[in-house]
Amino acid sequence: MPDPAPINGSNNWVVSGAHTVTGKPLLSNDMHLGHQMPSLWYEAHLRAGSLDVAGVTLPGMPYVIVGHNQRIAWGFTNLGPTVEDVYIENFNDADHYQTPYGLERVEHRFEVIHVKDKPDVGVGCAQHAARTDRHGIGAR
């Protein structure tokens, strides 16, 4: 009989410290990942100077992906997050864009990135300044 198709999904939750015996929050994290041999995950406990972190990692990764240190715990779910929003903006030749409340002017910004021991790096110029509308930086 073939193996059943995996059911993808995962969940996590936090209980406020106001509801625990210790007064500290409680994190539960279940990535709903199936068992396999060899195991995909490896337990790790890393200590170096003030670093003291324990949890699980993947082969070749120099850090704990899901775990805790002396102050906090962290986890993740295995379904992809929403990491982008796409908007279609209608611009006119006068550099305005349409909103539900009428036309708004696009903001042009020149950003400076300070780099340690290097000259500052400018982002944007008179012809190509960072363009910002109500949804953030965008392209025309």
Side-chain angles (χ1 to χ4, degrees), residues 6-65:
I7 299 172
N8 290 327
S10 57
N11 54 285
N12 54 19
W13 47 262
V14 175
V15 174
S16 165
H19 303 288
T20 66
V21 173
T22 63
K24 295 185 178 182
L26 176 67
L27 169 68
S28 175
N29 180 232
D30 185 353
M31 297 178 284
H32 288 209
L33 300 174
H35 298 285
Q36 63 188 47
M37 285 296 189
S39 177
L40 179 66
W41 296 96
Y42 290 89
E43 289 183 275
H45 188 170
L46 306 175
R47 289 186 185 153
S50 64
L51 175 72
D52 186 0
V53 60
V56 294
T57 187
L58 296 171
M61 295 294 147
Y63 48 84
V64 171
I65 297 170

Side-chain angles (χ1 to χ4, degrees), residues 91-97 104-112 123-134 136-140:
F91 294 91
N92 65 17
D93 291 335
D95 217 18
H96 291 82
Y97 63 99
E104 294 285 334
R105 179 172 289 284
V106 173
E107 177 187 342
H108 295 267
R109 297 195 322 248
F110 182 81
E111 301 283 342
V112 176
V123 178
C125 62
Q127 295 84 15
H128 303 288
R131 298 167 46 91
T132 305
D133 61 28
R134 64 195 172 122
I137 295 177
R140 183 169 187 187

